[in-house]
Amino acid sequence: DVSQVGPLVGGLMPLAVFFFAFWFFGERLVGRELLGAVFLALGSLVLALATVVKGKFNPWLVFLAVGFFGLSAVLAKALYTQTGFITGLVLLRLGAFVGALLLLLRPVYFQAIRRSFSSAAPQTGAFFILGQSAGAAGAILVNYAIALGSVTVVSALQGLQYVFLLLLTLFLGRLAPQVLAEDLSGRSLVFKIVGIILLGMGLVLLI
């Protein structure tokens, strides 16, 4: 279930980034910076665990995905250091574009994409463009932050997106409860409160 695996990968990714950044760059966080990154990573993980149901995913695939995402972030930092932000970003986006095109070489994937577009509702196109535009803007800003500073801290700060996602879901859930509904009961509520507190403490330490 992507709604469970996605947050879990995001919550664990700062640990992988910390390991690879130390391994490749010798990056070390000290003092408030280290403590803040730890709180942010823990907060992200706790918020991710609020959505996880035991037995719904393959843990080995999750750890593999975490490792690849972490390595990707650290290699992106290395590329920006060598080429500059604009050149590095263009090269990364070109690589992603070529990778996406290679997937279309398999007829089963190409046909699946065609069917999804042909059966989509008329307003789906507008939602798709809006979502992709927002995602592209977010990705550019995250990559710019990686180019400027510590890849470990930036990775840990991405846990704040779950707070914004929670608030946005609560807001939209009131407008369209039949479409969006946030679980705020029992175990889930406790995990979300603890996760937000940890994220807040981490952010304060880094400011």
Side-chain angles (χ1 to χ4, degrees), residues 57-81:
F57 60 90
N58 186 324
W60 297 111
L61 291 179
V62 169
F63 287 128
L64 190 61
V66 167
F68 279 127
F69 277 120
L71 182 60
S72 172
V74 172
L75 292 179
K77 172 67 176 179
L79 181 63
Y80 294 140
T81 301

Side-chain angles (χ1 to χ4, degrees), residues 3-205:
S3 65
Q4 297 179 39
V5 174
L8 186 58
V9 170
L12 291 172
M13 199 178 101
L15 301 177
V17 172
F18 178 78
F19 171 77
F20 287 121
F22 176 79
W23 183 269
F24 286 107
F25 303 137
E27 180 178 281
R28 290 177 175 84
L29 303 179
V30 295
R32 289 170 61 93
E33 195 176 49
L34 174 61
L35 197 57
V38 169
F39 276 120
L40 287 169
L42 287 175
S44 302
L45 185 58
V46 170
L47 281 178
L49 291 175
T51 65
V52 172
V53 178
K54 186 178 180 181
K56 291 290 187 178
F57 60 90
N58 186 324
W60 297 111
L61 291 179
V62 169
F63 287 128
L64 190 61
V66 167
F68 279 127
F69 277 120
L71 182 60
S72 172
V74 172
L75 292 179
K77 172 67 176 179
L79 181 63
Y80 294 140
T81 301
Q82 294 295 321
T83 66
F85 174 66
I86 298 298
T87 302
L89 183 66
V90 170
L91 290 174
L92 287 174
R93 294 303 98 186
L94 282 175
F97 178 70
V98 171
L101 287 181
L102 290 176
L103 289 176
L104 296 179
L105 294 179
R106 292 198 62 179
V108 62
Y109 295 150
F110 182 73
Q111 294 300 327
I113 293 173
R114 284 190 60 184
R115 285 195 299 270
S116 65
F117 274 104
S118 61
S119 61
Q123 66 270 25
T124 301
F127 288 135
F128 175 79
I129 293 174
L130 180 62
Q132 291 302 305
S133 299
I140 290 173
L141 291 174
V142 167
N143 279 273
Y144 187 55
I146 289 174
L148 291 178
S150 165
V151 63
T152 304
V153 172
V154 172
S155 175
L157 281 169
Q158 287 187 72
L160 294 172
Q161 68 183 312
Y162 300 119
V163 178
F164 289 104
L165 180 61
L166 174 60
L167 295 176
L168 186 61
T169 304
L170 290 173
F171 174 72
L172 295 178
R174 289 185 175 275
L175 299 179
Q178 71 279 8
V179 178
L180 286 173
E182 183 68 23
D183 181 13
L184 293 176
S185 60
R187 170 184 177 274
S188 178
L189 179 60
V190 172
F191 272 75
K192 286 170 183 175
I193 292 174
V194 173
I196 290 173
I197 291 173
L198 290 171
L199 286 170
M201 293 171 64
L203 185 60
V204 168
L205 285 168

